[in-house]
Amino acid sequence: MSIQYSRNTLTSFTAFGANFPVQAEMAALRSFHKQKGAQSAHDRAGFDMIHTTPFAAGLRVDDMGAQTPVAIAPGTSVLTLDGALPAEHLYPGDAVITRHGARPLTGIDHVTLPAGTPIVEITHNALGGRPERDLWLPASQRILVRDWRAKALYGQAQVCIPAGQLVDGEYIRLTELAEDVTGFALRFGRPEVFYGDGVELASADPLNVPA
């Protein structure tokens, strides 16, 4: 399956990014989230996420909208039962290592990320020993964070948040693609967290949100 995004679909993230303190220190980041009215998952989502899936319980609702691209970059090394494989070498049925154990891929979408797409560059070891090498992700790709950042920014032991919310302007930088790139969105039939270059990344599966 191939998905294409135009510049128009990136408007919501661009507006968000314009207000993001890219060059700020961590104190400014904390102030930003405080001003945004960081609340519990229940308050922000309008329903009790605890009763959806264990993975959903760790998620936070963000203000980027649902139309910004979610994918991983070509060349991202994904941990599987056959070892670490580049994202572009994965196929449906491959057994990928997740936080719930080995899970078969039910699908992998080829996502066209146009020039100008906001991306986050994460330097080697910027996330407490991760990633295993320099890595970039679309800014709306969610990362599971389980270190001091989760407590400092959200008051929780762990959160699954868009990469763009981790930008510090030094080791984690917000930039944009200079040319069109094909990314890869991994699906498992249910929300999962898999390992890309050592970073815990959320799959592209939609959450089971109650009506």
Side-chain angles (χ1 to χ4, degrees):
M1 182 175 183
S2 181
I3 302 173
Q4 292 191 349
Y5 290 86
S6 70
R7 285 180 178 273
N8 292 335
T9 62
L10 304 176
T11 302
S12 59
F13 183 84
T14 301
F16 176 87
N19 294 322
F20 197 89
V22 176
Q23 301 300 327
E25 299 296 337
M26 292 309 299
L29 281 173
R30 287 191 289 270
S31 175
F32 171 78
H33 286 283
K34 182 177 181 181
Q35 291 171 6
K36 296 295 287 185
Q39 299 168 309
S40 68
H42 179 281
D43 292 337
R44 299 192 69 184
F47 61 88
D48 192 349
M49 300 180 91
I50 301 290
H51 296 308
T52 54
T53 68
F55 173 82
L59 294 177
R60 307 251 344 161
V61 176
D62 62 272
D63 304 304
M64 296 183 192
Q67 298 304 314
T68 53
V70 173
I72 59 177
T76 300
S77 183
V78 177
L79 192 60
T80 77
L81 282 183
D82 294 320
L85 298 175
E88 57 269 35
H89 291 176
L90 296 175
Y91 294 93
D94 285 347
V96 173
I97 304 301
T98 76
R99 280 177 58 81
H100 293 112
R103 293 288 186 269
L105 275 175
T106 59
I108 180 165
D109 300 334
H110 292 196
V111 182
T112 299
L113 306 173
T117 297
I119 63 170
V120 173
E121 295 177 339
I122 307 174
T123 58
H124 178 216
N125 287 336
L127 298 173
R130 305 170 184 173
E132 297 165 350
R133 57 180 178 172
D134 290 354
L135 170 72
W136 70 263
L137 299 164
S140 53
Q141 168 63 48
R142 291 182 182 270
I143 298 176
L144 181 64
V145 179
R146 296 187 292 143
D147 63 7
W148 60 268
R149 294 171 182 83
K151 189 67 175 178
L153 300 179
Y154 292 90
Q156 298 184 27
Q158 63 179 30
V159 289
C160 197
I161 58 175
Q165 293 188 5
L166 292 172
V167 170
D168 60 20
E170 184 175 0
Y171 301 106
I172 306 175
R173 299 177 298 274
L174 182 65
T175 183
E176 62 181 34
L177 289 177
E179 59 185 16
D180 293 2
V181 173
T182 298
F184 301 90
L186 277 57
R187 294 183 286 106
F188 297 88
R190 55 160 288 172
E192 295 285 357
V193 172
F194 63 95
Y195 300 90
D197 283 322
V199 177
E200 295 175 308
L201 302 172
S203 67
D205 299 279
L207 295 174
N208 298 319
V209 178

